[in-house]
Amino acid sequence: AATPRREFGALWDRSGTRVFFVVDMPQFQIFDAAASGSGPPRLLLEGMRDQIPLDVSPDGRWLLYLQEMESLGLLPLARPQDARLFRGIEGQQSFARFSPDGRFIAFQSDASGRDEIYVRTIAEDGRSLPVSRAGGQQPRWTKSGEVFYWQGDQLVAVPVRTAPALQVGEPRALFRAERGASRAFFEAAYDVSADGR
């Protein structure tokens, strides 16, 4: 008997009208559907590589996705066929999120030999700037433009200015958490939800 398809990884758009999710076909493929349930789901990317949605830009124009659990991609929702992988990023990438203005992303990469946090523009010719200095994982932006990340069991914040030019400030440690600490506490205390809003 055929193995039933699994669906997982739901991600809402910023307006709450569409949802993005993964279907195991057996490759992980990204679909979107109206949250109201009207109309059939739409396959966004065709191909033979695993793809997982990570974040939607604040203006709702772009979907950030992970391909093959190692490369970040950018998909214009009006023209999904024009999706592209980011160039010039070394190492295995993951946990990417859009900045509040939608012009930049923060992401995790092991290019240095350990997981660190970087920021870069969504433009094709962008370069990456390091945010963390002693390891970092799972970045999130606040509405005020800070990037928060975990450095082991320590939560660290870094001010990041995106205008008029990209500028990264000094990291500052906020607090240590128990290894099993609830992520909900962090999100509630610092007004950073699991989807970066």
Side-chain angles (χ1 to χ4, degrees), residues 121-152:
T121 176
I122 66 170
E124 287 195 57
D125 59 351
R127 65 186 182 95
S128 301
L129 290 181
V131 172
S132 61
R133 298 180 182 170
Q137 297 179 318
Q138 301 178 357
R140 296 282 193 266
W141 294 82
T142 65
K143 293 174 185 173
S144 63
E146 282 185 301
V147 173
F148 285 35
Y149 61 88
W150 290 102
Q151 183 179 310

Side-chain angles (χ1 to χ4, degrees), residues 105-128:
I105 61 169
F107 64 95
Q108 177 180 317
S109 172
D110 65 0
S112 70
R114 68 179 173 196
D115 288 331
E116 297 283 2
I117 305 303
Y118 300 85
V119 293
R120 64 158 288 155
T121 176
I122 66 170
E124 287 195 57
D125 59 351
R127 65 186 182 95
S128 301

Side-chain angles (χ1 to χ4, degrees), residues 13-146:
D13 75 353
R14 300 288 172 130
S15 68
T17 60
R18 299 200 72 76
V19 64
F20 303 91
F21 58 96
V22 174
V23 177
D24 186 349
M25 302 184 62
Q27 289 79 27
F28 297 163
Q29 301 290 288
I30 301 173
F31 283 74
D32 78 331
S36 65
S38 63
R42 170 180 66 151
L43 175 62
L44 291 181
L45 281 174
E46 296 207 32
M48 299 302 291
R49 297 176 179 266
D50 288 337
Q51 299 149 347
I52 297 174
L54 297 176
D55 198 13
V56 180
S57 63
D59 62 9
R61 293 176 54 210
W62 304 95
L63 178 71
L64 193 55
Y65 68 96
L66 182 64
Q67 181 167 289
E68 293 293 320
M69 301 303 206
E70 64 180 12
S71 299
L72 296 174
L74 191 65
L75 181 149
L77 290 168
R79 291 184 53 85
Q81 67 273 22
D82 292 341
R84 63 175 167 83
L85 295 179
F86 284 97
R87 295 183 194 162
I89 303 179
E90 302 297 326
Q92 183 172 333
Q93 306 131 42
S94 57
F95 295 104
R97 294 292 182 268
F98 281 104
S99 62
D101 63 13
R103 296 169 48 233
F104 294 85
I105 61 169
F107 64 95
Q108 177 180 317
S109 172
D110 65 0
S112 70
R114 68 179 173 196
D115 288 331
E116 297 283 2
I117 305 303
Y118 300 85
V119 293
R120 64 158 288 155
T121 176
I122 66 170
E124 287 195 57
D125 59 351
R127 65 186 182 95
S128 301
L129 290 181
V131 172
S132 61
R133 298 180 182 170
Q137 297 179 318
Q138 301 178 357
R140 296 282 193 266
W141 294 82
T142 65
K143 293 174 185 173
S144 63
E146 282 185 301

